[in-house]
Amino acid sequence: MKTIGLLGGMSWESSADYYRLINETIKTKLGGLHSAKCILFSVDFQEIEACQFSNQWDKSADLLAQACLSLEKAGADYIVICTNTMHKVANEIQARISIPILHIAKVTATELKQHTIKRVGLLGTKFTMEEDFYKQIIQDHDIDVIIPNSSERERISSIIYEELCLGQITPQSKKFYLDVIHNLHQQGAQGIILGCTEIGMLIKQVDTTVPLFDTTKIHAVQAALASLEK
């Protein structure tokens, strides 16, 4: 079994979900008392969030690359960045380490293709919804990506940072997200990418008939499966 290097803490609530989902997948695949071989480097999200909103992406890339170097030195075989937004600097991190990064958008695109999705809605932070670092990877798989309108994007993102990253779940925010999902579905989205690792805490598949693609679950499951590859 390979050793998974988890770059977590962004936020720690979703990192905990990664750990659970990875180990549940290993248990399902191997049975018995088997669990995943993981090394976790959990960063201080306050530092990373400050870099995001001050447009200091080079500084955040350096902080995360240093963390990944520590994971590599500790014996990790590959890196799982437990957040969607910080894949904005995935290439910069990859250039600094010699082990591969399991990219969240790439495994999500593969999952969408397996479900024959041709048009998908994307929810996440403003960075993820508005910039190309994430959307382009999905589009490169011949999948059209649509995003909420400007005011919806503002509220979606603020809920992530001001509520979900603090572990706060409210009925009002849940209803708002479900309304946005309905709007995107009306615009032709065959499914919705929950493109922030905290959104799955708020919205579940039982809440809507529109197919949801929870990137936390997709990424964690693929991380576990990769550890079993020979």
Side-chain angles (χ1 to χ4, degrees):
M1 188 188 300
K2 295 177 183 176
T3 300
I4 307 168
L6 296 170
L7 179 57
M10 301 170 283
S11 65
W12 69 261
E13 283 89 351
S14 62
S15 298
D17 284 337
Y18 266 88
Y19 186 72
R20 174 181 57 80
L21 289 163
I22 287 170
N23 281 289
E24 286 176 353
T25 302
I26 294 297
K27 182 178 180 181
T28 298
K29 289 294 181 181
L30 300 182
L33 297 177
H34 284 288
S35 56
K37 293 181 179 179
C38 298
I39 305 169
L40 170 65
F41 193 116
S42 187
V43 301
D44 180 1
F45 191 31
Q46 185 73 44
E47 292 182 73
I48 303 302
E49 188 263 357
C51 290
Q52 291 175 347
F53 285 92
S54 60
N55 202 33
Q56 293 182 293
W57 295 99
D58 288 345
K59 181 179 178 180
S60 65
D62 184 61
L63 289 170
L64 298 185
Q66 289 297 325
C68 288
L69 281 169
S70 295
L71 289 168
E72 182 176 353
K73 291 175 183 177
D77 292 299
Y78 55 97
I79 298 293
V80 175
I81 304 173
C82 303
T83 167
N84 286 271
T85 299
M86 294 315 299
H87 279 74
K88 177 179 169 69
V89 295
N91 290 339
E92 289 85 345
I93 296 171
Q94 186 66 83
R96 302 268 296 276
I97 61 177
S98 59
I99 57 176
I101 293 172
L102 184 67
H103 200 292
I104 195 167
K106 292 179 180 178
V107 296
T108 298
T110 298
E111 185 80 7
L112 293 168
K113 292 282 282 188
Q114 290 174 351
H115 288 80
T116 64
I117 299 295
K118 294 295 185 181
R119 186 173 175 86
V120 70
L122 174 61
L123 305 182
T125 65
K126 283 185 65 178
F127 308 109
T128 300
M129 290 186 288
E130 295 178 358
E131 300 184 32
D132 287 336
F133 71 91
Y134 194 97
K135 291 186 293 184
Q136 191 60 54
I137 291 173
I138 306 298
Q139 291 165 342
D140 287 344
H141 286 74
D142 298 320
I143 301 169
D144 187 28
V145 179
I146 57 176
I147 60 175
N149 64 41
S150 179
S151 62
E152 289 173 335
R153 295 197 301 271
E154 287 287 347
R155 188 173 174 192
I156 288 166
S157 199
S158 66
I159 287 170
I160 290 169
Y161 285 102
E162 296 171 16
E163 296 178 20
L164 302 183
C165 286
L166 298 173
Q168 298 174 9
I169 308 297
T170 70
Q172 297 88 349
S173 294
K174 183 171 187 174
K175 181 182 183 305
F176 172 71
Y177 267 66
L178 289 173
D179 288 343
V180 173
I181 288 170
H182 175 75
N183 293 342
L184 291 172
H185 184 54
Q186 291 295 104
Q187 296 173 50
Q190 299 168 288
I192 303 294
I193 299 172
L194 304 185
C196 173
T197 53
E198 283 79 29
I199 297 177
M201 298 161 52
L202 180 67
I203 301 297
K204 310 291 184 184
Q205 187 61 75
V206 294
D207 298 320
T208 177
T209 57
V210 181
L212 302 180
F213 294 87
D214 185 346
T215 54
T216 303
K217 183 175 182 179
I218 293 167
H219 202 201
V221 169
Q222 290 305 313
L225 296 178
S227 74
L228 301 177
E229 293 176 357
K230 296 182 179 179

